[in-house]
Amino acid sequence: FQEFMIVPAGFNSFHDAIRAAVEVYHELKTVLKNKYGPSAVNVGDEGGYAPPLEKIRDALDLLVEAVKKAGYEPGGEIAIALDAASSQFYREDKGVYVVEGRELGRNEMLELYEKLVGDYPIVSIEDPLYEEDFEGFAEIRRRLGDKILIVGDDLFTTNPARLSKGIESNAGNAVLVKVNQVGTLSETIEVVRMAHENGYKAIISHRSGETEDTTIADIAVGLSTGLIKTGAPGRGERTAKYNRLLEIAEELEKPRYPGFRVFPRKP
């Protein structure tokens, strides 16, 4: 899986949420250094740590441990989100996913996700299946859509036509929105509008190669998505967005932090 993320949704303000996220991030650094040594806290291009893990559950257990050591309740105050990026480990020639050395079919992948959601406070899974498997996304929505967000990134590519196809087939229940992927602000707004009108959540997202431009923070608030994905609070191109959100919270007369209300249910 590509990313294991925390979601500080159990707070009443963005200020409190980002403070908790930063505390967990630094606690995780300590946990990783103690378990795997200094090299385990090298970071990827989105600021996340890249320790030498082989098992999915190892990463999830580390997040839960860091949340607890930071003084928060897993699932109560801080949940977990996954970006499986499953097209990266899908063997199109054989129609299988290669996970931890095993070849899994679609149904076995769905069973894996069901077990993980049952065992951990997961509220969102991005790209759980191959990017052309609209039917599979519809099936995982049927199984888990009342519990978590099933997010299409590679599935929808911020493309109104692909999102429309997904809506028609009930594929997933959320779309990742990347402004410079679709190319224009007008198309971005169209994707968010289409999502909201059809009961899908929209998550405004950064890109892997980022700058310190903060526009996506304003877009997330201005379009009332209630959700933003912009990396670990570890470098300027990521923290710039969080700082802008803090500024917006100060500028608004009555800022609202939706927290768990944007998810199907609290874990």
Side-chain angles (χ1 to χ4, degrees):
F1 287 5
Q2 182 169 281
E3 295 174 327
F4 298 82
M5 299 164 280
I6 59 168
V7 184
F11 298 91
N12 294 322
S13 73
F14 180 76
H15 291 78
D16 291 340
I18 192 63
R19 185 194 69 240
V22 172
E23 289 171 354
V24 173
Y25 181 67
H26 288 288
E27 194 63 53
L28 180 60
K29 181 176 182 178
T30 300
V31 170
L32 292 173
K33 284 180 73 174
N34 290 341
K35 287 196 174 188
Y36 301 102
S39 64
V41 294
N42 291 334
V43 297
D45 63 3
E46 293 173 6
Y49 299 120
L53 304 178
E54 296 182 358
K55 302 290 185 182
I56 295 164
R57 288 176 179 265
D58 289 346
L60 294 169
D61 290 339
L62 285 166
L63 286 185
V64 169
E65 181 180 350
V67 169
K68 289 180 178 178
K69 287 195 171 182
Y72 298 102
E73 178 189 355
E77 293 165 308
I78 298 180
I80 292 174
L82 305 177
D83 178 4
S86 58
S87 291
Q88 302 303 312
F89 53 87
Y90 180 68
R91 289 280 304 276
E92 194 170 357
D93 58 332
K94 301 177 71 174
V96 298
Y97 299 86
V98 181
V99 180
E100 296 176 354
R102 297 180 298 150
E103 294 186 348
L104 305 179
R106 178 208 284 167
N107 193 59
E108 292 169 304
M109 283 297 294
L110 296 180
E111 290 174 354
L112 169 63
Y113 291 127
E114 286 178 312
K115 290 177 182 176
L116 292 176
V117 170
D119 293 343
Y120 295 93
I122 293 170
V123 292
S124 174
I125 302 178
E126 183 181 331
D127 286 340
L129 297 169
Y130 174 55
E131 63 195 51
E132 297 298 336
D133 190 3
F134 283 84
E135 182 181 314
F137 269 81
E139 177 61 17
I140 192 171
R141 173 176 175 164
R142 188 185 67 78
R143 296 193 191 189
L144 291 173
D146 62 339
K147 299 181 177 71
I148 66 171
L149 293 183
I150 309 297
V151 185
D153 174 16
D154 296 336
L155 181 74
F156 296 135
T157 62
T158 320
N159 182 306
R162 288 185 68 89
L163 178 59
S164 178
K165 179 179 178 180
I167 290 168
E168 289 177 8
S169 56
N170 285 320
N173 57 15
V175 55
L176 202 72
V177 180
K178 298 172 177 175
V179 180
N180 69 345
Q181 184 178 52
V182 68
T184 67
L185 279 173
S186 57
E187 288 173 298
T188 298
I189 294 169
E190 169 64 12
V191 167
V192 174
R193 182 197 63 78
M194 185 186 299
H196 287 173
E197 288 182 353
N198 289 278
Y200 279 57
K201 298 298 182 181
I203 305 170
I204 304 300
S205 176
H206 62 178
R207 301 304 299 271
S208 294
E210 266 291 342
T211 71
E212 291 191 2
D213 184 277
T214 61
T215 304
I216 63 169
D218 289 83
I219 291 172
V221 178
L223 298 182
S224 298
T225 65
L227 291 156
I228 189 169
K229 177 186 179 186
T230 191
R235 283 202 304 266
E237 76 275 15
R238 312 296 164 187
T239 58
K241 280 73 165 175
Y242 294 122
N243 287 335
R244 177 59 188 142
L245 288 167
L246 288 169
E247 290 175 355
I248 293 171
E250 292 292 334
E251 292 168 2
L252 294 177
E253 185 176 340
K254 293 182 179 180
R256 291 185 301 110
Y257 183 66
F260 280 115
R261 290 189 294 274
V262 294
F263 297 97
R265 74 173 190 183
K266 185 177 177 179

